[in-house]
Amino acid sequence: MRIERPIIALDFPDRNETVQFLSEFPKDESLFVKIGMELYYSEGTDMVREIKAMGHDVFLDLKCHDIPHTVESAMKVLGKIGVDLTTLHASGGSEMMAAAKSGMLDGSNGKQTARLLAITQLTSTNQQMVEEEQLVSVPLKESVLNYARLAKKSGMDGVVCSAQEARIIAAETGKNFLRVTPGIRLAGGASGDQKRVMTPDEAARNQSSAIVVGRAITQAKDRVKTYQTVKKLWEDAK
Ligand code: C5P
């Protein structure tokens, strides 16, 4: 399974900047956008509804991580809003993930439910942090793989991982289990806080099912043109 359009991370502080950005694109261009914590905490569900009403698909990336009951209730609310993709941390455990799914089904009430993605290890995490801060003694790749297996067993639709791990996850969990990969940069672009980065075409060749691109597009001089460049690199490298 492959999501054809690159997912644009709308990491903006408020509605004004978001609407300005979206208005730069041709009116009939349907985008797949990601609303993260910053925009959601600032503008809430109205922003999600407004963007959906513009005809875009929405990935609501709130990275839920709490006790199963709380996550189940939160997912019930998200099910009612009707987003296309959403996230939770695999480290919350199998019980939490299963509860999330049940909440999502419950809230969607017969409507199409959002696909649930589990965060494995953030793309800003590196091997040293895994060892020294998380006290995880296996290599980072093994930790990512472990979370991917757990997520699949718990009924998730896929994981968020770095493109560097997409191939090994595909081999282990099968093609239909989504591997959504942030940490995407154009060749020569600054990696910023991201540690495990790849270009759009490298990600496609490494069996990523969808790429998430934020600053490489939103901080570019010509944002629409940069989006088209990313899209072409991604599509051509199938
Ligand atoms: O600007 P950049 O392309 O690095 O943005 C990546 C986006 O993907 C951000 O919104 C970030 O929150 C999100 N993300 C990530 N790593 C994960 C999960 C989500 O970078 N593991």
Side-chain angles (χ1 to χ4, degrees):
M1 205 191 308
R2 195 169 190 270
I3 295 176
E4 292 303 326
R5 291 159 296 170
I7 302 172
I8 308 174
L10 297 178
D11 291 328
F12 297 117
D14 56 31
R15 179 183 179 277
N16 281 352
E17 281 196 42
T18 308
V19 171
Q20 165 59 42
F21 173 77
L22 294 172
S23 70
E24 292 167 16
F25 288 82
K27 271 230 154 15
D28 57 350
E29 173 127 32
S30 166
L31 303 170
F32 206 136
V33 297
K34 182 172 89 68
I35 297 178
M37 292 180 204
E38 183 185 13
L39 186 56
Y40 187 79
Y41 288 159
S42 138
E43 303 291 348
T45 53
D46 285 352
M47 191 78 254
V48 179
R49 290 196 177 94
E50 187 176 346
I51 293 177
K52 287 285 295 176
M54 290 175 192
H56 305 307
D57 290 312
V58 174
F59 170 7
L60 185 58
D61 182 22
L62 298 180
K63 299 189 176 64
C64 294
H65 191 172
D66 209 317
I67 58 170
H69 176 72
T70 302
V71 172
E72 180 171 1
S73 310
M75 288 294 163
K76 211 165 153 177
V77 176
L78 295 188
K80 285 193 186 120
I81 303 171
V83 295
D84 302 280
L85 279 176
T86 193
T87 49
L88 71 181
H89 277 278
S91 56
S94 54
E95 202 187 322
M96 186 202 81
M97 288 189 270
K101 187 164 185 186
S102 142
M104 178 54 72
L105 287 171
D106 211 5
S108 309
N109 205 9
K111 285 187 297 179
Q112 194 193 346
T113 58
R115 283 181 282 181
L116 293 174
L117 301 175
I119 308 289
T120 53
Q121 289 280 2
L122 295 168
T123 37
S124 55
T125 302
N126 64 14
Q127 180 63 41
Q128 189 183 6
M129 289 159 74
V130 166
E131 278 169 32
E132 294 176 8
E133 298 181 12
Q134 300 179 9
L135 299 184
V136 167
S137 55
V138 295
L140 183 137
K141 273 203 171 135
E142 191 48 51
S143 169
V144 169
L145 205 49
N146 169 54
Y147 281 137
R149 285 190 207 107
L150 189 68
K152 188 164 187 207
K153 230 170 56 190
S154 311
M156 300 298 94
D157 299 290
V159 285
V160 180
C161 59
S162 108
Q164 298 178 9
E165 292 116 25
R167 183 180 293 278
I168 53 165
I169 293 176
E172 182 90 15
T173 55
K175 277 199 178 137
N176 289 335
F177 189 68
L178 292 168
R179 296 148 321 268
V180 175
T181 64
I184 301 296
R185 295 290 178 268
L186 287 166
S191 58
D193 54 349
Q194 298 284 21
K195 310 269 191 319
R196 298 174 355 257
V197 297
M198 269 198 181
T199 59
D201 44 321
E202 283 172 340
R205 286 192 291 272
N206 217 39
Q207 296 183 22
S208 163
S209 330
I211 48 172
V212 175
V213 190
R215 287 163 289 184
I217 293 174
T218 57
Q219 294 183 5
K221 257 210 179 101
D222 186 336
R223 307 194 281 196
V224 176
K225 198 166 150 205
T226 307
Y227 170 72
Q228 301 297 357
T229 303
V230 169
K231 192 162 178 258
K232 185 154 183 7
L233 283 167
W234 168 247
E235 282 173 356
D236 288 355
K238 270 182 220 173

